[in-house]
Amino acid sequence: MLFRSPRHDAAGRLAHWAAEIERHAIRPEPVAAAARRWLEAHLPAASGPPAIVHGDFRSGNFLVGEGGRLLAILDWEMVHVGDPMEDLAWAADPLWSHGSENLAGAMLPHGAMIRAWEARSGRRFDAQSWQWWRLFAGFAGLAIWISSAHEVARMRAIDPVLAFAGFYPYRFHNAQVAQLLCEVAA
């Protein structure tokens, strides 16, 4: 039997995470609302034919062996068919760089990451689309952290990781999304 993955273009991904925010927001989320409006008004063209998108592609989901050899990519629960620019933007999100703003996952300069992505994917990097996917990555992050906080606040989960996610990464992405909105509005 074949595994069937959901299929989502940029509009579908945005609708998915917007619904998560609507369902789980405990208080008004003005930054997320402003980001959603901008994202809806500036949907990007696809970077090419649909492809498998991991959905949480970042350094924390790689299993690496001796000599830095990649052994596995973990946590496939958000896999879908869509635009691989989503994975590229998520991997480059500053939250995963741990203070190394210009390094994707605190490992690879953004320019080198983009060149490797183009070489492996056969796609051309588009700066305008990149702007959209970068903001989308922060928006999706906000949705995840808002959902985490909701589960803890409603006493549906007692996992301290979810409590932490509803605090630190939420604040980080809220500030980052606000900054990106200022950049795209300029």
Side-chain angles (χ1 to χ4, degrees):
M1 182 163 122
L2 288 174
F3 169 74
R4 294 192 185 261
S5 176
R7 188 179 187 118
H8 296 285
D9 60 3
R13 296 301 291 155
L14 179 57
H16 168 78
W17 290 117
E20 287 297 309
I21 291 174
E22 287 176 16
R23 185 172 26 259
H24 295 111
I26 298 169
R27 60 184 170 267
E29 296 290 346
V31 172
R36 179 181 180 179
R37 286 190 301 274
W38 189 91
L39 290 165
E40 287 173 340
H42 298 88
L43 288 168
S47 67
I52 294 172
V53 177
H54 181 274
D56 194 9
F57 191 74
R58 60 184 177 84
S59 57
N61 284 333
F62 302 160
L63 186 59
V64 179
E66 282 188 42
R69 187 170 153 257
L70 179 64
L71 300 175
I73 300 172
L74 309 173
D75 292 340
W76 288 86
E77 69 273 10
M78 293 195 290
V79 69
H80 59 280
V81 175
D83 193 324
M85 282 286 285
E86 180 179 348
D87 274 346
L88 186 67
W90 187 252
D93 190 272
L95 182 63
W96 316 125
S97 69
H98 311 289
S100 303
E101 185 85 16
N102 296 320
L103 296 177
M107 298 184 299
L108 190 63
H110 286 181
M113 175 195 67
I114 291 165
R115 286 189 298 279
W117 179 81
E118 285 183 318
R120 295 290 183 158
S121 71
R123 294 168 191 258
R124 303 243 340 135
F125 177 81
D126 177 66
Q128 189 173 11
S129 178
W130 177 245
Q131 185 179 51
W132 191 92
W133 285 108
R134 280 184 59 218
L135 182 59
F136 173 80
F139 180 80
L142 275 176
I144 293 166
W145 317 135
I146 289 167
S147 296
S148 297
H150 178 269
E151 294 303 302
V152 172
R154 298 292 184 255
M155 304 291 276
R156 292 186 197 146
I158 57 170
D159 185 344
V161 172
L162 290 179
F164 173 78
F167 177 68
Y168 174 75
Y170 167 81
R171 290 179 51 172
F172 180 92
H173 270 134
N174 211 45
Q176 178 205 2
V177 168
Q179 178 185 341
L180 287 171
L181 281 168
C182 289
E183 290 174 18
V184 299

